[in-house]
Amino acid sequence: MTEYLIFLAISTAIFALFSLGLNLQWGFTGLINFGHIAFMTLGAYTTVLLSLQGIPLFISAVMGAIVAALLGLIIGFATLRLREDYLAIVTIGVGELIRLVVNNQELPVGDTWVSGAFGVQSYPIPLTTAPNLFFRLVMIGLLTLLAAITFWALWRWIRVAQKSLRIDTSKKVSSKQELISRLSVGLIFALLTAGIYIAGVIGLYNYSPKAGLMLVSLLVLGFVFWRLEILVRSPWGRVLKAIREDEEVPRAMGKNVFWYKVQSLMLGGAIAGVAGAFFAWQLSAIYPDNFQPQLTFDAWIMVILGGSGNNIGTILGAVIFFTYDALTREYLPRIFTNLSSDQLGAFRIMIIGLILMVLMIWRPQGILGKKEELTLSK
């Protein structure tokens, strides 16, 4: 059970990172990106291939993020001066193009060249060697600090809604609904944080490399979330929101709309590149077929579920998605014993599609999204 919780925590952290990059591009800037997996693919392969050449893992991951950002720069210069739908068309093609190139090219694996179709294995992974007791206690301390910050942030987030309910009596109904939403989400996050913390402490004390990877992925997720929250509340972030709503307004105010779009595409791509590094480290062996277009649409599901233009909502969407994934993988085969594995897979997709349809009718802005910031109509 502990190992499974750690696995789910790593997967959720990776795809929360991946989706945060997409949320920056679409939720905050209104850029339609259907090939987000391209950034993850470049980040994963760059990190892995550089680490096999003896470059430290941290530098390899940073280089993977830079390469992914450069892809965003290239796509931006090629499409962002054209109509919005060109970006969607080009990103779909780029995502598949990169996967097919990797599949058909030879890759430098150490001192030899290996066909990309055979994948890349036996590359360095962070924290595979068990540290001594002192460093294990330091890691547990970091996990404790991260959990404490999470609980404090949740409490502060709920308090903001409570103050809004007391101050703005003219919007009492909407403020009360937001408070109820925040209380429900806060309770979910608190329970998950407690469960992951307990599993993480056990995994770190009786050292497991996956527990070490979980700690690093959660720390990176926390750092990226913190910096994104600062960015989107800054003047830079307000310009992105203005571009999303009506780019003619910031253009009339003298803002370089094209360059802001490119920056958003590059930063979102860099975040996805970092997620790609962690994805490769989690898998321990990567193949081109690990980077199917389906992963992009999984990220879209997470962003839409949680609420576009809301970073906490994106993380909530990732949590809901992987909770749903884990539960249906465990219980559907027991309920529908006469269905094959392929049929069960299709049935699971049908259920998530139905959930999305109901959500779009009931709450089109997502669970935590704001209706006035809805970008689905763009």
Side-chain angles (χ1 to χ4, degrees):
M1 186 63 181
T2 298
E3 292 179 358
Y4 190 59
L5 273 176
I6 290 172
F7 168 78
L8 286 179
I10 296 170
S11 300
T12 304
I14 291 170
F15 279 88
L17 264 178
F18 185 52
S19 302
L20 282 173
L22 179 62
N23 189 44
L24 178 65
Q25 295 168 349
W26 179 61
F28 288 102
T29 319
L31 302 175
I32 302 175
N33 178 4
F34 288 146
H36 200 49
I37 190 62
F39 301 109
M40 175 182 266
T41 307
L42 281 183
Y45 272 93
T46 302
T47 301
V48 166
L49 295 177
L50 288 179
S51 64
L52 285 169
Q53 300 299 325
I55 297 175
L57 289 176
F58 174 77
I59 297 176
S60 299
V62 171
M63 290 301 298
I66 291 172
V67 171
L70 289 176
L71 175 65
L73 180 66
I74 294 169
I75 294 175
F77 272 98
T79 63
L80 290 179
R81 293 189 189 277
L82 305 173
R83 291 206 321 262
E84 292 175 355
D85 50 354
Y86 280 96
L87 176 63
I89 295 168
V90 169
T91 50
I92 291 174
V94 169
E96 273 298 274
L97 176 65
I98 289 177
R99 185 179 70 84
L100 293 174
V101 167
V102 170
N103 191 60
N104 291 283
Q105 293 296 317
E106 292 191 346
L107 304 174
V109 179
D111 298 327
T112 61
W113 289 77
V114 176
S115 172
F118 294 138
V120 184
Q121 304 89 22
S122 304
Y123 47 81
I125 297 173
L127 302 171
T128 51
T129 305
N132 58 36
L133 180 60
F134 173 76
F135 283 105
R136 277 182 281 159
L137 293 175
V138 169
M139 293 169 77
I140 291 172
L142 286 172
L143 184 62
T144 303
L145 177 63
L146 187 61
I149 291 173
T150 302
F151 284 123
W152 175 79
L154 288 172
W155 175 81
R156 185 181 174 188
W157 184 58
I158 293 169
R159 287 284 294 170
V160 169
Q162 289 177 326
K163 289 180 181 178
S164 176
L165 180 62
R166 288 199 300 267
I167 294 171
D168 194 354
T169 55
S170 63
K171 297 181 179 179
K172 190 171 182 180
V173 175
S174 60
S175 297
K176 190 173 182 180
Q177 289 175 343
E178 184 176 356
L179 177 60
I180 293 171
S181 297
R182 290 197 179 196
L183 283 170
S184 303
V185 172
L187 178 61
I188 292 170
F189 272 123
L191 291 173
L192 286 172
T193 301
I196 290 169
Y197 174 73
I198 294 170
V201 169
I202 295 172
L204 289 171
Y205 188 79
N206 304 311
Y207 190 73
S208 162
K210 291 297 184 183
L213 183 61
M214 182 198 76
L215 175 62
V216 177
S217 63
L218 290 175
L219 287 171
V220 171
L221 174 61
F223 176 78
V224 170
F225 171 79
W226 170 55
R227 296 309 304 172
L228 277 179
E229 284 290 283
I230 292 173
L231 275 175
V232 298
R233 285 175 169 80
S234 69
W236 183 81
R238 289 194 289 272
V239 173
L240 294 188
K241 292 180 181 179
I243 292 171
R244 178 192 65 195
E245 300 304 322
D246 186 354
E247 65 181 60
E248 295 304 321
V249 174
R251 183 176 285 116
M253 296 177 67
K255 301 297 183 182
N256 189 336
V257 170
F258 170 75
W259 184 236
Y260 274 95
K261 286 182 176 181
V262 171
Q263 289 175 5
S264 175
L265 199 59
M266 290 177 67
L267 182 55
I271 295 170
V274 174
F278 281 102
F279 190 55
W281 291 336
Q282 184 194 33
L283 293 176
S284 302
I286 54 172
Y287 300 87
D289 285 345
N290 293 136
F291 302 93
Q292 294 286 347
Q294 178 63 42
L295 297 184
T296 294
F297 294 100
D298 289 345
W300 275 90
I301 290 170
M302 295 171 201
V303 173
I304 292 170
L305 274 175
S308 65
N310 188 305
N311 289 322
I312 296 179
T314 298
I315 296 176
L316 174 65
V319 170
I320 293 172
F321 182 87
F322 277 98
T323 301
Y324 163 83
D325 184 76
L327 291 176
T328 52
R329 284 182 188 276
E330 179 70 22
Y331 292 108
L332 277 185
R334 301 181 185 180
I335 298 172
F336 301 98
T337 55
N338 58 328
L339 296 180
S340 66
S341 58
D342 291 340
Q343 290 173 324
L344 285 171
F347 188 55
R348 290 170 62 241
I349 294 174
M350 287 172 60
I351 294 174
I352 196 69
L354 178 61
I355 292 171
L356 281 176
M357 289 169 61
V358 172
L359 182 68
M360 290 300 97
I361 296 170
W362 169 63
R363 194 174 174 85
Q365 70 270 33
I367 296 172
L368 294 180
K370 296 181 179 180
K371 200 165 188 177
E372 60 270 21
E373 295 186 2
L374 185 64
T375 60
L376 286 173
S377 61
K378 289 184 71 65

